[in-house]
Structures are given as structure tokens and as C-alpha cells.
Amino acid sequence: MAAVDRGISIDTSMGFTPLEGLLMGTRSGDIDPSVILFVMGKEGLALNEATTLLNKHSGLQGISGVSSDMREVIAEMKNGDKKATNAFDVFTYRVKKYIGAYARQWEESTRWCLRVGLRKQPGRTACKHRESRIPGNGP
């Protein structure tokens, strides 16, 4: 996620790698670093296995157990899948946290645009997460 002012990126949720920041399709996003050590010890994972877990099997995919594609998560959510609902809720909660942090820094901003590519096919994005679940973001 990025804060953009007059076409210039002035902040981003990513850090040293895209693993930091907003939860993604298969990436964990922000987590307590001790979680990594705990899981490595409990599951007997090597460093490269833990890296793969965090980058390829976490995020929407890991929480929902359905897909890394937001459209598929939303479809399962509509079917009453609690894990899919939880994945969606975690994602929107974290989006709100970042918007809140950015808004506090740049109070003069009057518009927000959320463009997230959680997709399997280029050129397609999910829109449900941009709707009313983010209070205060009117049309």
C-alpha cells in the first residue's frame, strides 16, 4: 500500500521486502517476528522453508485456506465460509490501519484511492474490499 501526494509516492507499507506491510495474496504482511521463530521450532522448518511459508503460503491463501485471489475468497465468504470471512476481515482491518496512519500524517488529503491487485489473471482486480467495509470512505 502506498500514500501518494500529487502523483509522488511519499510512503509505503513495504519495508526491506514486500513481506512487510499489508497482507497480500500469499504473503503474511506485518507479523510479530517471534512468530517466525516459534513456527520454525514447532514445525522443524529450515530457514528456506520458513521463507517459502511466509512468501508463498500465507496471506489470504494461508488464512482462508481457499485462494490467494480475493474474488475466490469473497465467493466463499458469500457461501458462509468462516475462514474466508476471517481472511477478508483481517485484510480490511489492516487496510484501515494503514489508511489511518497515512491520514494522520497528511490531514489535508480529501481523497483516497485504493488500488490493490489481488488476482490470478493480469488486469483483473477484486472490488468488494473497496466498498462499505471501510467506514468513512464515501463515493
Side-chain angles (χ1 to χ4, degrees):
M1 183 172 206
V4 179
D5 184 17
R6 294 174 190 85
I8 299 171
S9 178
I10 51 178
D11 200 354
T12 179
S13 65
M14 292 186 288
F16 179 66
T17 70
L19 194 57
E20 181 182 359
L22 191 60
L23 171 108
M24 297 184 199
T26 62
R27 292 186 176 122
S28 65
D30 294 333
I31 62 170
D32 181 333
S34 293
V35 170
I36 301 163
L37 301 174
F38 175 79
V39 172
M40 287 177 73
K42 183 170 173 62
E43 300 296 324
L45 299 178
L47 180 59
N48 65 329
E49 293 171 313
T51 300
T52 299
L53 176 66
L54 292 169
N55 282 287
K56 304 285 184 187
H57 305 289
S58 296
L60 288 176
Q61 174 72 49
I63 296 171
S64 72
V66 172
S67 176
S68 61
D69 187 322
M70 182 63 91
R71 295 168 298 174
E72 293 176 26
V73 171
I74 291 168
E76 288 305 310
M77 201 172 88
K78 289 177 181 176
N79 291 331
D81 186 304
K82 290 182 182 182
K83 287 183 178 181
T85 300
N86 188 43
F88 182 86
D89 289 346
V90 168
F91 178 81
T92 55
Y93 172 78
R94 292 195 180 173
V95 166
K96 287 186 257 184
K97 277 179 64 173
Y98 276 103
I99 288 174
Y102 294 159
R104 188 72 182 126
Q105 292 178 53
W106 298 284
E107 294 179 12
E108 295 178 13
S109 295
T110 57
R111 291 188 220 165
W112 290 92
C113 176
L114 179 59
R115 171 83 167 91
V116 181
L118 295 168
R119 60 192 177 264
K120 286 189 174 179
Q121 299 175 8
R124 295 184 178 195
T125 59
C127 294
K128 173 78 175 159
H129 60 277
R130 292 184 237 170
E131 296 174 358
S132 61
R133 285 281 190 120
I134 303 174
N137 276 3

mmCIF file of all heavy atoms in Angstrom, residues 72-113:
data_model
loop_
_atom_site.group_PDB
_atom_site.id
_atom_site.type_symbol
_atom_site.label_atom_id
_atom_site.label_comp_id
_atom_site.label_asym_id
_atom_site.label_seq_id
_atom_site.Cartn_x
_atom_site.Cartn_y
_atom_site.Cartn_z
ATOM 1 N N GLU A 72 -12.126 -15.176 -5.243
ATOM 2 C CA GLU A 72 -12.482 -16.511 -4.765
ATOM 3 C C GLU A 72 -12.757 -16.498 -3.260
ATOM 4 O O GLU A 72 -13.648 -17.195 -2.783
ATOM 5 C CB GLU A 72 -11.388 -17.507 -5.121
ATOM 6 C CG GLU A 72 -11.268 -17.735 -6.613
ATOM 7 C CD GLU A 72 -10.124 -18.658 -6.992
ATOM 8 O OE1 GLU A 72 -9.728 -19.506 -6.169
ATOM 9 O OE2 GLU A 72 -9.622 -18.526 -8.125
ATOM 10 N N VAL A 73 -11.991 -15.710 -2.526
ATOM 11 C CA VAL A 73 -12.226 -15.569 -1.083
ATOM 12 C C VAL A 73 -13.620 -14.989 -0.849
ATOM 13 O O VAL A 73 -14.384 -15.479 -0.016
ATOM 14 C CB VAL A 73 -11.131 -14.706 -0.422
ATOM 15 C CG1 VAL A 73 -11.486 -14.383 1.025
ATOM 16 C CG2 VAL A 73 -9.777 -15.401 -0.499
ATOM 17 N N ILE A 74 -13.977 -13.953 -1.611
ATOM 18 C CA ILE A 74 -15.290 -13.327 -1.471
ATOM 19 C C ILE A 74 -16.401 -14.297 -1.843
ATOM 20 O O ILE A 74 -17.433 -14.366 -1.159
ATOM 21 C CB ILE A 74 -15.360 -12.030 -2.313
ATOM 22 C CG1 ILE A 74 -14.453 -10.965 -1.686
ATOM 23 C CG2 ILE A 74 -16.792 -11.521 -2.425
ATOM 24 C CD1 ILE A 74 -14.218 -9.751 -2.554
ATOM 25 N N ALA A 75 -16.201 -15.081 -2.882
ATOM 26 C CA ALA A 75 -17.213 -16.069 -3.277
ATOM 27 C C ALA A 75 -17.454 -17.074 -2.157
ATOM 28 O O ALA A 75 -18.606 -17.407 -1.840
ATOM 29 C CB ALA A 75 -16.779 -16.796 -4.553
ATOM 30 N N GLU A 76 -16.387 -17.536 -1.531
ATOM 31 C CA GLU A 76 -16.539 -18.481 -0.411
ATOM 32 C C GLU A 76 -17.133 -17.805 0.811
ATOM 33 O O GLU A 76 -17.871 -18.411 1.577
ATOM 34 C CB GLU A 76 -15.200 -19.136 -0.076
ATOM 35 C CG GLU A 76 -14.750 -20.130 -1.113
ATOM 36 C CD GLU A 76 -15.791 -21.215 -1.378
ATOM 37 O OE1 GLU A 76 -16.292 -21.830 -0.414
ATOM 38 O OE2 GLU A 76 -16.102 -21.446 -2.559
ATOM 39 N N MET A 77 -16.820 -16.544 0.996
ATOM 40 C CA MET A 77 -17.394 -15.763 2.087
ATOM 41 C C MET A 77 -18.913 -15.715 1.941
ATOM 42 O O MET A 77 -19.652 -15.901 2.914
ATOM 43 C CB MET A 77 -16.800 -14.355 2.026
ATOM 44 C CG MET A 77 -16.870 -13.564 3.283
ATOM 45 S SD MET A 77 -15.932 -12.039 3.096
ATOM 46 C CE MET A 77 -17.159 -10.971 2.423
ATOM 47 N N LYS A 78 -19.378 -15.497 0.705
ATOM 48 C CA LYS A 78 -20.816 -15.449 0.433
ATOM 49 C C LYS A 78 -21.483 -16.799 0.672
ATOM 50 O O LYS A 78 -22.674 -16.863 0.934
ATOM 51 C CB LYS A 78 -21.066 -14.989 -1.001
ATOM 52 C CG LYS A 78 -20.743 -13.530 -1.212
ATOM 53 C CD LYS A 78 -20.939 -13.115 -2.662
ATOM 54 C CE LYS A 78 -20.582 -11.659 -2.868
ATOM 55 N NZ LYS A 78 -20.673 -11.258 -4.276
ATOM 56 N N ASN A 79 -20.678 -17.870 0.586
ATOM 57 C CA ASN A 79 -21.194 -19.217 0.862
ATOM 58 C C ASN A 79 -21.123 -19.571 2.346
ATOM 59 O O ASN A 79 -21.392 -20.702 2.725
ATOM 60 C CB ASN A 79 -20.417 -20.269 0.058
ATOM 61 C CG ASN A 79 -20.693 -20.189 -1.414
ATOM 62 O OD1 ASN A 79 -21.770 -19.777 -1.835
ATOM 63 N ND2 ASN A 79 -19.706 -20.576 -2.218
ATOM 64 N N GLY A 80 -20.717 -18.603 3.165
ATOM 65 C CA GLY A 80 -20.687 -18.815 4.614
ATOM 66 C C GLY A 80 -19.389 -19.381 5.151
ATOM 67 O O GLY A 80 -19.330 -19.785 6.312
ATOM 68 N N ASP A 81 -18.343 -19.409 4.367
ATOM 69 C CA ASP A 81 -17.059 -19.948 4.814
ATOM 70 C C ASP A 81 -16.438 -18.996 5.838
ATOM 71 O O ASP A 81 -16.111 -17.853 5.527
ATOM 72 C CB ASP A 81 -16.128 -20.127 3.616
ATOM 73 C CG ASP A 81 -14.828 -20.822 3.971
ATOM 74 O OD1 ASP A 81 -14.117 -20.337 4.874
ATOM 75 O OD2 ASP A 81 -14.521 -21.844 3.334
ATOM 76 N N LYS A 82 -16.273 -19.472 7.070
ATOM 77 C CA LYS A 82 -15.774 -18.622 8.159
ATOM 78 C C LYS A 82 -14.304 -18.249 7.985
ATOM 79 O O LYS A 82 -13.894 -17.142 8.338
ATOM 80 C CB LYS A 82 -15.998 -19.307 9.500
ATOM 81 C CG LYS A 82 -17.465 -19.370 9.865
ATOM 82 C CD LYS A 82 -17.700 -20.010 11.210
ATOM 83 C CE LYS A 82 -19.197 -20.068 11.463
ATOM 84 N NZ LYS A 82 -19.511 -20.628 12.757
ATOM 85 N N LYS A 83 -13.504 -19.156 7.454
ATOM 86 C CA LYS A 83 -12.092 -18.832 7.230
ATOM 87 C C LYS A 83 -11.948 -17.755 6.156
ATOM 88 O O LYS A 83 -11.109 -16.867 6.265
ATOM 89 C CB LYS A 83 -11.305 -20.078 6.824
ATOM 90 C CG LYS A 83 -11.071 -21.043 7.961
ATOM 91 C CD LYS A 83 -10.226 -22.205 7.461
ATOM 92 C CE LYS A 83 -9.911 -23.175 8.566
ATOM 93 N NZ LYS A 83 -9.065 -24.278 8.072
ATOM 94 N N ALA A 84 -12.768 -17.843 5.110
ATOM 95 C CA ALA A 84 -12.736 -16.827 4.054
ATOM 96 C C ALA A 84 -13.165 -15.479 4.618
ATOM 97 O O ALA A 84 -12.556 -14.441 4.310
ATOM 98 C CB ALA A 84 -13.629 -17.234 2.884
ATOM 99 N N THR A 85 -14.196 -15.486 5.457
ATOM 100 C CA THR A 85 -14.654 -14.247 6.099
ATOM 101 C C THR A 85 -13.556 -13.670 6.981
ATOM 102 O O THR A 85 -13.304 -12.465 6.972
ATOM 103 C CB THR A 85 -15.936 -14.502 6.918
ATOM 104 O OG1 THR A 85 -16.946 -14.982 6.033
ATOM 105 C CG2 THR A 85 -16.412 -13.244 7.624
ATOM 106 N N ASN A 86 -12.874 -14.522 7.717
ATOM 107 C CA ASN A 86 -11.785 -14.068 8.571
ATOM 108 C C ASN A 86 -10.660 -13.453 7.739
ATOM 109 O O ASN A 86 -10.127 -12.396 8.088
ATOM 110 C CB ASN A 86 -11.251 -15.220 9.420
ATOM 111 C CG ASN A 86 -10.248 -14.761 10.451
ATOM 112 O OD1 ASN A 86 -10.431 -13.736 11.116
ATOM 113 N ND2 ASN A 86 -9.181 -15.513 10.604
ATOM 114 N N ALA A 87 -10.299 -14.086 6.626
ATOM 115 C CA ALA A 87 -9.244 -13.550 5.756
ATOM 116 C C ALA A 87 -9.632 -12.170 5.239
ATOM 117 O O ALA A 87 -8.824 -11.240 5.243
ATOM 118 C CB ALA A 87 -8.982 -14.510 4.596
ATOM 119 N N PHE A 88 -10.878 -12.021 4.795
ATOM 120 C CA PHE A 88 -11.371 -10.742 4.303
ATOM 121 C C PHE A 88 -11.328 -9.695 5.408
ATOM 122 O O PHE A 88 -10.877 -8.564 5.199
ATOM 123 C CB PHE A 88 -12.797 -10.900 3.772
ATOM 124 C CG PHE A 88 -13.368 -9.645 3.192
ATOM 125 C CD1 PHE A 88 -13.130 -9.303 1.866
ATOM 126 C CD2 PHE A 88 -14.150 -8.797 3.959
ATOM 127 C CE1 PHE A 88 -13.653 -8.136 1.322
ATOM 128 C CE2 PHE A 88 -14.674 -7.630 3.429
ATOM 129 C CZ PHE A 88 -14.425 -7.301 2.108
ATOM 130 N N ASP A 89 -11.785 -10.061 6.598
ATOM 131 C CA ASP A 89 -11.807 -9.125 7.720
ATOM 132 C C ASP A 89 -10.404 -8.701 8.149
ATOM 133 O O ASP A 89 -10.171 -7.533 8.468
ATOM 134 C CB ASP A 89 -12.574 -9.717 8.899
ATOM 135 C CG ASP A 89 -14.069 -9.800 8.657
ATOM 136 O OD1 ASP A 89 -14.570 -9.165 7.703
ATOM 137 O OD2 ASP A 89 -14.747 -10.521 9.427
ATOM 138 N N VAL A 90 -9.461 -9.639 8.168
ATOM 139 C CA VAL A 90 -8.081 -9.298 8.513
ATOM 140 C C VAL A 90 -7.520 -8.321 7.484
ATOM 141 O O VAL A 90 -6.896 -7.318 7.837
ATOM 142 C CB VAL A 90 -7.195 -10.563 8.611
ATOM 143 C CG1 VAL A 90 -5.714 -10.202 8.667
ATOM 144 C CG2 VAL A 90 -7.584 -11.397 9.827
ATOM 145 N N PHE A 91 -7.769 -8.596 6.207
ATOM 146 C CA PHE A 91 -7.284 -7.710 5.149
ATOM 147 C C PHE A 91 -7.858 -6.308 5.300
ATOM 148 O O PHE A 91 -7.119 -5.319 5.294
ATOM 149 C CB PHE A 91 -7.634 -8.285 3.777
ATOM 150 C CG PHE A 91 -7.193 -7.395 2.654
ATOM 151 C CD1 PHE A 91 -5.879 -7.405 2.216
ATOM 152 C CD2 PHE A 91 -8.086 -6.526 2.045
ATOM 153 C CE1 PHE A 91 -5.460 -6.564 1.187
ATOM 154 C CE2 PHE A 91 -7.680 -5.689 1.014
ATOM 155 C CZ PHE A 91 -6.366 -5.714 0.591
ATOM 156 N N THR A 92 -9.191 -6.181 5.444
ATOM 157 C CA THR A 92 -9.797 -4.849 5.524
ATOM 158 C C THR A 92 -9.388 -4.121 6.802
ATOM 159 O O THR A 92 -9.193 -2.903 6.785
ATOM 160 C CB THR A 92 -11.335 -4.900 5.416
ATOM 161 O OG1 THR A 92 -11.867 -5.772 6.407
ATOM 162 C CG2 THR A 92 -11.760 -5.379 4.040
ATOM 163 N N TYR A 93 -9.200 -4.852 7.906
ATOM 164 C CA TYR A 93 -8.731 -4.239 9.148
ATOM 165 C C TYR A 93 -7.353 -3.617 8.930
ATOM 166 O O TYR A 93 -7.096 -2.475 9.325
ATOM 167 C CB TYR A 93 -8.679 -5.274 10.267
ATOM 168 C CG TYR A 93 -8.036 -4.753 11.525
ATOM 169 C CD1 TYR A 93 -8.743 -3.913 12.390
ATOM 170 C CD2 TYR A 93 -6.719 -5.071 11.850
ATOM 171 C CE1 TYR A 93 -8.145 -3.408 13.545
ATOM 172 C CE2 TYR A 93 -6.122 -4.579 12.989
ATOM 173 C CZ TYR A 93 -6.837 -3.749 13.836
ATOM 174 O OH TYR A 93 -6.236 -3.256 14.971
ATOM 175 N N ARG A 94 -6.477 -4.354 8.277
ATOM 176 C CA ARG A 94 -5.122 -3.845 8.058
ATOM 177 C C ARG A 94 -5.106 -2.677 7.072
ATOM 178 O O ARG A 94 -4.305 -1.755 7.215
ATOM 179 C CB ARG A 94 -4.203 -4.970 7.622
ATOM 180 C CG ARG A 94 -4.004 -5.952 8.769
ATOM 181 C CD ARG A 94 -2.876 -6.860 8.528
ATOM 182 N NE ARG A 94 -2.715 -7.786 9.631
ATOM 183 C CZ ARG A 94 -1.864 -8.787 9.605
ATOM 184 N NH1 ARG A 94 -1.110 -8.980 8.535
ATOM 185 N NH2 ARG A 94 -1.758 -9.592 10.635
ATOM 186 N N VAL A 95 -5.976 -2.712 6.073
ATOM 187 C CA VAL A 95 -6.091 -1.574 5.160
ATOM 188 C C VAL A 95 -6.488 -0.338 5.957
ATOM 189 O O VAL A 95 -5.904 0.740 5.795
ATOM 190 C CB VAL A 95 -7.116 -1.850 4.033
ATOM 191 C CG1 VAL A 95 -7.481 -0.563 3.290
ATOM 192 C CG2 VAL A 95 -6.573 -2.890 3.057
ATOM 193 N N LYS A 96 -7.468 -0.491 6.845
ATOM 194 C CA LYS A 96 -7.916 0.648 7.666
ATOM 195 C C LYS A 96 -6.791 1.177 8.553
ATOM 196 O O LYS A 96 -6.674 2.387 8.750
ATOM 197 C CB LYS A 96 -9.122 0.248 8.511
ATOM 198 C CG LYS A 96 -10.394 0.091 7.703
ATOM 199 C CD LYS A 96 -11.571 -0.168 8.604
ATOM 200 C CE LYS A 96 -11.943 -1.623 8.565
ATOM 201 N NZ LYS A 96 -13.140 -1.941 9.336
ATOM 202 N N LYS A 97 -5.962 0.277 9.093
ATOM 203 C CA LYS A 97 -4.839 0.711 9.926
ATOM 204 C C LYS A 97 -3.878 1.585 9.126
ATOM 205 O O LYS A 97 -3.437 2.635 9.604
ATOM 206 C CB LYS A 97 -4.077 -0.499 10.480
ATOM 207 C CG LYS A 97 -4.686 -1.095 11.719
ATOM 208 C CD LYS A 97 -3.922 -2.290 12.218
ATOM 209 C CE LYS A 97 -2.522 -1.973 12.656
ATOM 210 N NZ LYS A 97 -1.846 -3.123 13.304
ATOM 211 N N TYR A 98 -3.555 1.158 7.926
ATOM 212 C CA TYR A 98 -2.635 1.943 7.106
ATOM 213 C C TYR A 98 -3.260 3.255 6.657
ATOM 214 O O TYR A 98 -2.606 4.298 6.671
ATOM 215 C CB TYR A 98 -2.128 1.134 5.902
ATOM 216 C CG TYR A 98 -0.955 0.267 6.286
ATOM 217 C CD1 TYR A 98 -1.109 -1.089 6.485
ATOM 218 C CD2 TYR A 98 0.301 0.830 6.473
ATOM 219 C CE1 TYR A 98 -0.036 -1.878 6.861
ATOM 220 C CE2 TYR A 98 1.382 0.045 6.850
ATOM 221 C CZ TYR A 98 1.204 -1.311 7.038
ATOM 222 O OH TYR A 98 2.274 -2.080 7.420
ATOM 223 N N ILE A 99 -4.516 3.225 6.269
ATOM 224 C CA ILE A 99 -5.189 4.473 5.885
ATOM 225 C C ILE A 99 -5.207 5.430 7.066
ATOM 226 O O ILE A 99 -4.932 6.625 6.915
ATOM 227 C CB ILE A 99 -6.618 4.208 5.371
ATOM 228 C CG1 ILE A 99 -6.563 3.544 3.997
ATOM 229 C CG2 ILE A 99 -7.418 5.513 5.301
ATOM 230 C CD1 ILE A 99 -7.919 3.111 3.467
ATOM 231 N N GLY A 100 -5.479 4.928 8.253
ATOM 232 C CA GLY A 100 -5.483 5.769 9.450
ATOM 233 C C GLY A 100 -4.121 6.388 9.714
ATOM 234 O O GLY A 100 -4.017 7.575 10.030
ATOM 235 N N ALA A 101 -3.076 5.601 9.567
ATOM 236 C CA ALA A 101 -1.722 6.113 9.789
ATOM 237 C C ALA A 101 -1.365 7.175 8.757
ATOM 238 O O ALA A 101 -0.810 8.226 9.096
ATOM 239 C CB ALA A 101 -0.719 4.958 9.738
ATOM 240 N N TYR A 102 -1.694 6.912 7.497
ATOM 241 C CA TYR A 102 -1.396 7.880 6.452
ATOM 242 C C TYR A 102 -2.238 9.145 6.621
ATOM 243 O O TYR A 102 -1.751 10.259 6.452
ATOM 244 C CB TYR A 102 -1.645 7.281 5.068
ATOM 245 C CG TYR A 102 -0.719 6.138 4.693
ATOM 246 C CD1 TYR A 102 -1.088 5.236 3.710
ATOM 247 C CD2 TYR A 102 0.517 5.954 5.306
ATOM 248 C CE1 TYR A 102 -0.249 4.191 3.339
ATOM 249 C CE2 TYR A 102 1.352 4.910 4.955
ATOM 250 C CZ TYR A 102 0.966 4.033 3.964
ATOM 251 O OH TYR A 102 1.788 3.000 3.607
ATOM 252 N N ALA A 103 -3.507 8.980 6.939
ATOM 253 C CA ALA A 103 -4.401 10.133 7.090
ATOM 254 C C ALA A 103 -3.933 11.037 8.227
ATOM 255 O O ALA A 103 -4.049 12.259 8.151
ATOM 256 C CB ALA A 103 -5.834 9.666 7.334
ATOM 257 N N ARG A 104 -3.423 10.448 9.276
ATOM 258 C CA ARG A 104 -2.949 11.231 10.417
ATOM 259 C C ARG A 104 -1.748 12.086 10.030
ATOM 260 O O ARG A 104 -1.572 13.201 10.510
ATOM 261 C CB ARG A 104 -2.587 10.286 11.565
ATOM 262 C CG ARG A 104 -2.283 10.974 12.839
ATOM 263 C CD ARG A 104 -3.573 11.533 13.446
ATOM 264 N NE ARG A 104 -3.239 12.240 14.653
ATOM 265 C CZ ARG A 104 -3.581 13.488 14.900
ATOM 266 N NH1 ARG A 104 -4.318 14.138 14.056
ATOM 267 N NH2 ARG A 104 -3.228 14.067 16.004
ATOM 268 N N GLN A 105 -0.909 11.563 9.153
ATOM 269 C CA GLN A 105 0.280 12.300 8.722
ATOM 270 C C GLN A 105 -0.061 13.401 7.724
ATOM 271 O O GLN A 105 0.577 14.444 7.705
ATOM 272 C CB GLN A 105 1.291 11.351 8.079
ATOM 273 C CG GLN A 105 1.903 10.386 9.065
ATOM 274 C CD GLN A 105 2.855 9.447 8.381
ATOM 275 O OE1 GLN A 105 3.756 9.884 7.672
ATOM 276 N NE2 GLN A 105 2.668 8.158 8.581
ATOM 277 N N TRP A 106 -1.050 13.150 6.875
ATOM 278 C CA TRP A 106 -1.396 14.098 5.826
ATOM 279 C C TRP A 106 -2.868 14.448 5.935
ATOM 280 O O TRP A 106 -3.694 14.023 5.134
ATOM 281 C CB TRP A 106 -1.076 13.501 4.449
ATOM 282 C CG TRP A 106 0.390 13.235 4.357
ATOM 283 C CD1 TRP A 106 1.374 14.144 4.163
ATOM 284 C CD2 TRP A 106 1.032 11.972 4.491
ATOM 285 N NE1 TRP A 106 2.604 13.529 4.168
ATOM 286 C CE2 TRP A 106 2.420 12.199 4.369
ATOM 287 C CE3 TRP A 106 0.586 10.668 4.717
ATOM 288 C CZ2 TRP A 106 3.358 11.172 4.451
ATOM 289 C CZ3 TRP A 106 1.511 9.642 4.809
ATOM 290 C CH2 TRP A 106 2.882 9.905 4.675
ATOM 291 N N GLU A 107 -3.193 15.254 6.940
ATOM 292 C CA GLU A 107 -4.581 15.587 7.236
ATOM 293 C C GLU A 107 -5.258 16.385 6.139
ATOM 294 O O GLU A 107 -6.472 16.441 6.075
ATOM 295 C CB GLU A 107 -4.662 16.318 8.570
ATOM 296 C CG GLU A 107 -4.265 15.429 9.737
ATOM 297 C CD GLU A 107 -4.325 16.151 11.062
ATOM 298 O OE1 GLU A 107 -4.880 17.264 11.127
ATOM 299 O OE2 GLU A 107 -3.815 15.598 12.045
ATOM 300 N N GLU A 108 -4.501 17.013 5.259
ATOM 301 C CA GLU A 108 -5.093 17.825 4.201
ATOM 302 C C GLU A 108 -5.692 16.981 3.076
ATOM 303 O O GLU A 108 -6.424 17.491 2.248
ATOM 304 C CB GLU A 108 -4.046 18.771 3.621
ATOM 305 C CG GLU A 108 -3.576 19.796 4.625
ATOM 306 C CD GLU A 108 -2.502 20.700 4.052
ATOM 307 O OE1 GLU A 108 -2.291 20.703 2.829
ATOM 308 O OE2 GLU A 108 -1.865 21.409 4.845
ATOM 309 N N SER A 109 -5.383 15.699 3.049
ATOM 310 C CA SER A 109 -5.901 14.840 1.985
ATOM 311 C C SER A 109 -7.419 14.751 2.078
ATOM 312 O O SER A 109 -7.977 14.561 3.146
ATOM 313 C CB SER A 109 -5.321 13.434 2.103
ATOM 314 O OG SER A 109 -3.942 13.463 1.882
ATOM 315 N N THR A 110 -8.067 14.912 0.961
ATOM 316 C CA THR A 110 -9.529 14.816 0.928
ATOM 317 C C THR A 110 -10.002 13.602 0.160
ATOM 318 O O THR A 110 -11.156 13.250 0.229
ATOM 319 C CB THR A 110 -10.143 16.073 0.282
ATOM 320 O OG1 THR A 110 -9.597 16.234 -1.018
ATOM 321 C CG2 THR A 110 -9.877 17.290 1.140
ATOM 322 N N ARG A 111 -9.111 12.965 -0.584
ATOM 323 C CA ARG A 111 -9.494 11.795 -1.371
ATOM 324 C C ARG A 111 -8.528 10.649 -1.139
ATOM 325 O O ARG A 111 -7.341 10.858 -0.957
ATOM 326 C CB ARG A 111 -9.481 12.121 -2.858
ATOM 327 C CG ARG A 111 -10.548 13.054 -3.269
ATOM 328 C CD ARG A 111 -10.565 13.147 -4.762
ATOM 329 N NE ARG A 111 -10.795 14.543 -5.097
ATOM 330 C CZ ARG A 111 -10.606 15.055 -6.267
ATOM 331 N NH1 ARG A 111 -10.184 14.316 -7.246
ATOM 332 N NH2 ARG A 111 -10.847 16.314 -6.487
ATOM 333 N N TRP A 112 -9.093 9.452 -1.190
ATOM 334 C CA TRP A 112 -8.285 8.244 -1.072
ATOM 335 C C TRP A 112 -8.627 7.321 -2.223
ATOM 336 O O TRP A 112 -9.780 7.185 -2.595
ATOM 337 C CB TRP A 112 -8.585 7.521 0.243
ATOM 338 C CG TRP A 112 -8.074 8.270 1.424
ATOM 339 C CD1 TRP A 112 -8.757 9.177 2.171
ATOM 340 C CD2 TRP A 112 -6.767 8.218 1.964
ATOM 341 N NE1 TRP A 112 -7.950 9.684 3.150
ATOM 342 C CE2 TRP A 112 -6.716 9.102 3.049
ATOM 343 C CE3 TRP A 112 -5.627 7.500 1.635
ATOM 344 C CZ2 TRP A 112 -5.582 9.293 3.800
ATOM 345 C CZ3 TRP A 112 -4.488 7.685 2.403
ATOM 346 C CH2 TRP A 112 -4.475 8.590 3.472
ATOM 347 N N CYS A 113 -7.630 6.714 -2.780
ATOM 348 C CA CYS A 113 -7.841 5.729 -3.843
ATOM 349 C C CYS A 113 -7.162 4.441 -3.412
ATOM 350 O O CYS A 113 -5.977 4.440 -3.094
ATOM 351 C CB CYS A 113 -7.241 6.225 -5.148
ATOM 352 S SG CYS A 113 -7.362 5.007 -6.464
#
